[in-house]
Amino acid sequence: MDIKKLQTLVFDALEDVKGQDIQIFDTTEITSLFDRVCVVSGTSNRQTKALAASVRDKVKENGGDIVGMEGEATGEWVLVDLGDMVVHIMQPAIRAYYRLEEIWGGKEVKMGAAKRAPRASKMTAGPLDEEKPKRSRSKAAPVEVTPDMMAIQTTVEDEKPKRKPRVSKVAAELAGEKPVRKPRATSATPKIPSGGRVKVAATKTATASSKEAAAKKATTRRKTAE
């Protein structure tokens, strides 16, 4: 099987099971045993086993050979030997400890850009002639006023309450009418403070009666003294 096809199949199989941090290295200049080394992380024993099984099944379906598999019992580090390519499926702690990237990472093969289909841009999404209609910025056409509209407006204006016009002093004098003025308070008019008591002057009758009563009291006192 062609090495490019084989590495594409392995990459797809690992992505199907959500493999993390997939890296493929070209080892043709380092060793003659194999041409590619793949390193991928699995978060648990179950996922590492599932990743290995996905690679095995994918390669077999497309006519590839499986030389051997190791580490399936523990699931911490599963190795899949495909002849021209070796796949190391490791848990993060094991991968950080052994650092296989430093050994085989001389030349990394970029698979992300090759696998993903290019997204259609605005220029290639559709024909150039089929453009969206632009919004017109022209002003709206004037509305024609009909007799019915005038009648409705007149009716609405008639229903509004009309206010009485204010008459100024000058206009009242010219019309011969004297404006009503408020009476001014004179000195003769007593000012009553709010909340106070009002002293009322005694009348003449009350004064005379009080004098007569005083005289009678004085006469009675004299007679009593004699």
Side-chain angles (χ1 to χ4, degrees), residues 162-173 175 177 179:
K162 296 182 180 180
R163 297 181 180 178
K164 295 182 179 181
R166 295 181 180 178
V167 181
S168 62
K169 294 180 179 180
V170 178
E173 291 177 358
E177 299 177 359

Side-chain angles (χ1 to χ4, degrees), residues 171-185:
E173 291 177 358
L174 293 176
E177 299 177 359
K178 293 183 179 181
V180 180
R181 296 181 180 179
K182 295 181 180 179
R184 295 181 180 179

